[in-house]
Amino acid sequence: MTVTYTARVANARFCGFSKLLLAWKGSIYKVLYKEFLAFFAIYTAISITYRFFLLDDQKRYFEKLAIYCNHYASLIPMSFVLGFYVTLVVNRWWSQYTCIPLPDRLMCVLSGGLQGGDERGRLLRRTMMRYASLSALLILRSVSTAVFKRFPTMDHVVEAGFMTREERKKFENLQSPYNKYWMPCVWFTNLAAVARCEGRIKDDNTLKLLLEELNAFRGNCSMLFHYDMISVPLVYTQVVTLAVYSFFLVCLIGRQFLDPTQGYPGHDLDLYIPIFTLLQFFFYTGWLKVAEQLINPFGEDDDDFETNWLIDRNFQVSMMAVDEMYGDLPILERDRYWNDSNPRPPYTAATLFVLRKPSFQGSTFDMAIPKEEMHFQPLEDIAENLEESRSRYPNQALLTRLLSAAPSPTGLMGGALRRTSAQLQRLTRSPSPDPNSSSSSSSMDDDGDGDNRGSVPSGLCQDTQSTICSCGGFISPYPLPRFEGDMEEREAKTEKEDGKDWQQQTEKEKRDEQEEQTDPHTAQKDPLQLPCPQD
């Protein structure tokens, strides 16, 4: 049987795995002790030869060879190659176990779907379930050495009761060079069609469900066959094996303790027994042995799958489900919690501590929030705060709209950002408060820079006069460039929305702005104020 120690490690405690280290069946000591003794014996023989049988000149040459081997042994990628290989093998091992065909779902559907308590109905159910068990037996006999030893020929299969002699003749008369494990599944489907015609399978949905479960059962059989046919690539297995054994062959020489009187670096101590080298051999070679045992779990190792036990269990359970338990129901009666609206099963004294634990309500159930932050806020206040933030920071809202309106980050991001930055510069740049700045603008015009796009002229009686609307937005004297496509329409809509937001200021603020415009003192400092453009 497979070595099972689950109950011994049910609870984590101090040195919980220490008792498992003394087990022998299925242990690393059982599969590794021969290689370990061979490695230690060869190492000891080389060490004795170096110490007692070599001449001085030969010792010096051996010492140089040992230092050379120890230096270059680290170039073999042991951990990477071996670790990846063992991970692949373990995943493959578990996948093969999940593909073992189990009849539990099929027998439940068959027991409830094929009606008839007479001898004919019983015969149909038992025969169909026997066909499913025969298909599983044939595929396990093809991939498992233990099952093949139990059923070496088809005569043994017939004698065991999985196949009749007439069925064996039909099985052998079908000439095919391939594995014929699928033939009993075809017999199953034909018999299901007969049962449907006889009315024992009531409707097509039940027949469909039965055939779906059969196909899933047959699919597991097929996957086991393919796992047996398609192995881990041989080159990978060879690379891992050569890497491990070549590394420790080099260590037989490179890890020798050299004469301390020669003064070699790292050889100041002579311990005779290479403790850490032996541990390294134990771990790395043991890792390789794990892969050797798991790469084919259908053998006869201690931890291989118990396929013969599975055959016995599946055959017995499936026959009982479709025959003896067909229509077998206990008497319906009220349960002990019939009148209890809050049923609760009892606890023993060993499990009474569970009642003292509070029921889990969620990770945020006990989170504390200050009382002043637990009151709902009126939606009107939230709307006013949002409106105030928009009026106070109109350029930020415009930037957000422009960035969100960009159609493609890869195609138009560069151009959209440049146009957005240019428009923000026009919107945020305020005119110079110095009335004499017009002279500087005139001097720039005289120098030949007729396009005053880098600065804003502040003269009030010029054609290029710049204005600021009463809501604080800047109106450029030059027409803004028009952009083609969707960007032009989106920016036009954005400007209209901003104009509508600016018009929502209170009448008091507008009157104050008009008084400031009519004030002669402020007129000397600020440029001409105009109302916002209407849509």
Side-chain angles (χ1 to χ4, degrees), residues 41-163:
I42 296 175
Y43 182 91
T44 304
I46 295 175
S47 178
I48 293 175
T49 303
Y50 162 70
R51 295 174 186 273
F52 301 104
F53 295 100
L54 294 182
L55 302 176
D56 291 339
D57 296 338
Q58 295 174 341
K59 286 183 178 181
R60 302 292 86 79
Y61 181 81
F62 179 82
E63 290 165 357
K64 293 180 181 180
L65 179 63
I67 294 174
Y68 176 83
C69 292
N70 187 37
H71 177 71
Y72 286 100
S74 59
L75 297 180
I76 301 176
M78 286 283 296
S79 300
F80 173 76
V81 174
L82 191 57
F84 188 78
Y85 181 75
V86 173
T87 303
L88 175 65
V89 171
V90 170
N91 292 333
R92 177 186 172 89
W93 165 77
W94 183 249
S95 297
Q96 291 182 74
Y97 180 77
T98 57
C99 289
I100 294 178
L102 301 177
D104 298 66
R105 296 178 57 179
L106 182 61
M107 69 186 185
C108 292
V109 176
L110 183 61
S111 178
L114 201 153
Q115 305 296 323
D118 55 348
E119 184 177 358
R120 173 67 177 174
R122 180 186 177 191
L123 179 62
L124 288 174
R125 287 190 299 272
R126 289 183 64 91
T127 304
M128 293 171 70
M129 205 66 246
R130 181 170 58 83
Y131 286 160
S133 300
L134 175 60
S135 180
L137 173 63
L138 292 177
I139 193 61
L140 289 175
R141 181 176 173 270
S142 302
V143 301
S144 174
T145 57
V147 177
F148 186 83
K149 289 181 179 180
R150 183 181 179 183
F151 305 100
T153 63
M154 295 302 297
D155 293 333
H156 293 81
V157 177
V158 173
E159 186 178 354
F162 287 92
M163 180 185 291

Side-chain angles (χ1 to χ4, degrees), residues 21 66 78 116 151 189 206 499:
L21 299 179
M78 286 283 296
F151 305 100
T189 57
T206 305

Side-chain angles (χ1 to χ4, degrees), residues 32-42 281:
L32 191 61
Y33 76 95
K34 295 180 181 179
E35 287 85 352
F36 186 82
L37 292 178
F39 178 81
F40 184 70
I42 296 175
F281 178 85

Side-chain angles (χ1 to χ4, degrees), residues 187-200:
W187 295 343
F188 185 103
T189 57
N190 295 336
L191 202 55
V194 172
R196 177 70 181 96
C197 294
E198 293 179 359
R200 297 184 180 274

Side-chain angles (χ1 to χ4, degrees), residues 121-271:
R122 180 186 177 191
L123 179 62
L124 288 174
R125 287 190 299 272
R126 289 183 64 91
T127 304
M128 293 171 70
M129 205 66 246
R130 181 170 58 83
Y131 286 160
S133 300
L134 175 60
S135 180
L137 173 63
L138 292 177
I139 193 61
L140 289 175
R141 181 176 173 270
S142 302
V143 301
S144 174
T145 57
V147 177
F148 186 83
K149 289 181 179 180
R150 183 181 179 183
F151 305 100
T153 63
M154 295 302 297
D155 293 333
H156 293 81
V157 177
V158 173
E159 186 178 354
F162 287 92
M163 180 185 291
T164 64
R165 298 189 180 277
E166 184 65 26
E167 292 168 352
R168 179 189 174 185
K169 291 180 180 179
K170 287 186 173 293
F171 185 83
E172 293 178 348
N173 289 336
L174 182 64
Q175 301 298 325
S176 177
Y178 306 107
N179 195 319
K180 295 182 289 187
Y181 67 90
W182 47 268
M183 281 191 65
C185 294
V186 178
W187 295 343
F188 185 103
T189 57
N190 295 336
L191 202 55
V194 172
R196 177 70 181 96
C197 294
E198 293 179 359
R200 297 184 180 274
I201 298 178
K202 298 301 181 180
D203 50 35
D204 293 336
N205 290 330
T206 305
L207 178 62
K208 177 177 179 293
L209 179 60
L210 182 62
L211 295 182
E212 285 178 350
E213 293 299 333
L214 176 67
N215 284 329
F217 184 86
R218 188 213 59 80
N220 288 336
C221 296
S222 178
M223 286 303 300
L224 284 184
F225 180 76
H226 289 297
Y227 271 119
D228 184 66
M229 181 176 63
I230 307 298
S231 304
V232 177
L234 180 62
V235 291
Y236 198 7
T237 304
Q238 291 174 343
V239 166
V240 174
T241 306
L242 289 175
V244 173
Y245 287 114
S246 61
F247 176 80
F248 287 107
L249 285 176
V250 173
C251 288
L252 289 174
I253 299 176
R255 300 295 175 86
Q256 292 287 337
F257 287 102
L258 305 181
D259 188 1
T261 59
Q262 299 298 320
Y264 296 112
H267 293 274
D268 302 331
L269 195 62
D270 190 0
L271 297 179

